[in-house]
Amino acid sequence: MEEAISNAERMRFDLVPVVKAAADSYRIAFPQRAFTTETPDEPVVIDGAPDLIVQMLDKLVDNAVDFSPIGAQIVLRVRLELESAVVEVDNPGPPLDPSIRDRLFESLWQSRTGAACKAGDSDDSRPHFGLGLYIVRLIAEFHNGKAEASSLPGDTGARFTVHLAR
């Protein structure tokens, strides 16, 4: 997996239409959740792999769906910082336990429990191998960036933030 990501072909592309197109597909794939996008009006051009960005979003959104209640609004956001493009995925649900934040992006580690996933009102019998957020981290690192997680203000859910070099 690491080798496949590290060998991906790089190109210059605008992150905004990639995130908007992904959000359109999530509205179809997850009709029990609402998806909104918040993006700047100007292009957010990075050097990277659009297909990896979509894979990263897929992992973050799958996680958001699992931990949010039916009817929840999941926000996909793109914003600019001085030296990076930032992609954020916000979802209502349980806040992140501060003691696990540093472990979330490790390989083969997961915090899913029956109670935690109940927030998503899903009877999720799919296997989870603890690789989704690890893949997010690898993709962020491929783009000379980093991945972080935090609780939303008021402990109303979780925010996953990925910084990508511009």
Side-chain angles (χ1 to χ4, degrees):
M1 174 181 353
E2 291 94 342
E3 188 174 331
I5 290 172
S6 68
N7 289 328
E9 189 172 327
R10 292 179 181 272
M11 61 185 288
R12 301 267 315 145
F13 69 97
D14 183 358
L15 196 55
V16 172
V18 173
V19 171
K20 286 183 175 183
D24 288 343
S25 68
Y26 302 140
R27 288 181 188 100
I28 295 166
F30 304 107
Q32 295 184 328
R33 302 296 186 281
F35 291 89
T36 60
T37 57
E38 297 175 6
T39 61
D41 292 331
E42 70 269 15
V44 177
V45 178
I46 66 170
D47 181 34
D51 56 323
L52 289 181
I53 296 299
V54 172
Q55 185 177 359
M56 176 190 80
L57 288 168
D58 288 350
K59 302 298 183 196
L60 291 172
V61 166
D62 190 49
N63 191 66
V65 167
D66 285 351
F67 286 92
S68 65
I70 290 174
Q73 180 171 313
I74 296 170
V75 179
L76 283 72
R77 182 179 301 107
V78 176
R79 59 185 177 81
L80 287 168
E81 288 186 350
L82 189 57
E83 296 183 10
S84 64
V86 179
V87 176
E88 294 177 326
V89 176
D90 292 358
N91 64 283
L96 292 176
D97 181 340
S99 67
I100 67 167
R101 284 186 194 154
D102 292 337
R103 299 198 65 204
L104 285 173
F105 298 97
E106 293 177 7
S107 177
L108 303 177
W109 189 85
Q110 62 176 311
S111 65
R112 292 176 196 270
T113 64
C117 269
K118 282 290 185 208
D121 293 331
S122 64
D123 180 21
D124 191 0
S125 58
R126 298 174 299 158
H128 295 281
F129 301 107
L131 292 174
L133 293 178
Y134 174 66
I135 292 169
V136 168
R137 187 188 95 200
L138 292 177
I139 293 170
E141 290 171 352
F142 172 84
H143 291 89
N144 299 313
K146 64 181 180 176
E148 305 168 324
S150 60
S151 291
L152 290 172
D155 286 340
T156 57
R159 172 174 291 154
F160 288 85
T161 303
V162 179
H163 297 264
L164 308 165
R166 296 194 308 149

